[in-house]
Every structure is written in structure tokens, then in C-alpha cells.
Amino acid sequence: MTLISRYRVTFLLSLIGWGCLAIYAYKGSYVDENGVLIESFGFIPLFWLFQLLALVSLIYTALKHRKRGKV
């Protein structure tokens, strides 16, 4: 079993998280004519959520395959 196929969920979650951060950086932020800050703030917590889920997935997958190897 290859490394990528074993950790595909981890890679996918991490990639989605980095995509959220890239979208936030691409869209940027600005102050409109009324003095209100306009930004896509929702992508920042989404980035951290997906990175946390990727970490949990990494730990779960590593422990699952570690137990399987010992038996």
C-alpha cells in the first residue's frame, strides 16, 4: 500500500485547508467608501478547521496502521 493511498484523506483535508487560505489571500481585504472593512474572514477559521481535521486523520491513520503492523 503506497503512502499516498494510505493517507489520502489527510492529504485531501490539508489541501482543502490550504485552498481556503489561498482564496482568502487572493480575495484580499479593503475598506469601502463608508469606512467598513470588507474581507472574507470565514476562510481563516475554515483553514484551521481543515488543518485540525487533517491532523486528527493523520494520527488516526498512523495508529491504525501501526497496530496492524504489530499483529
Side-chain angles (χ1 to χ4, degrees):
M1 183 178 271
T2 64
L3 185 68
I4 292 177
S5 66
R6 184 180 295 170
Y7 293 101
R8 68 178 173 258
V9 173
T10 303
F11 288 135
L12 180 65
L13 289 170
S14 183
L15 187 64
I16 292 171
W18 285 105
C20 288
L21 195 63
I23 291 171
Y24 173 76
Y26 176 74
K27 290 186 83 165
S29 58
Y30 61 93
V31 178
D32 68 359
E33 63 274 353
N34 295 327
V36 177
L37 177 66
I38 306 296
E39 66 178 347
S40 302
F41 181 74
F43 287 112
I44 296 172
L46 281 175
F47 163 74
W48 286 110
L49 175 68
F50 281 115
Q51 294 306 307
L52 177 66
L53 290 173
L55 179 65
V56 168
S57 173
L58 176 73
I59 292 170
Y60 174 76
T61 306
L63 290 176
K64 184 174 78 170
H65 289 288
R66 183 174 157 175
K67 285 183 180 180
R68 189 182 299 169
K70 286 186 177 180
V71 174

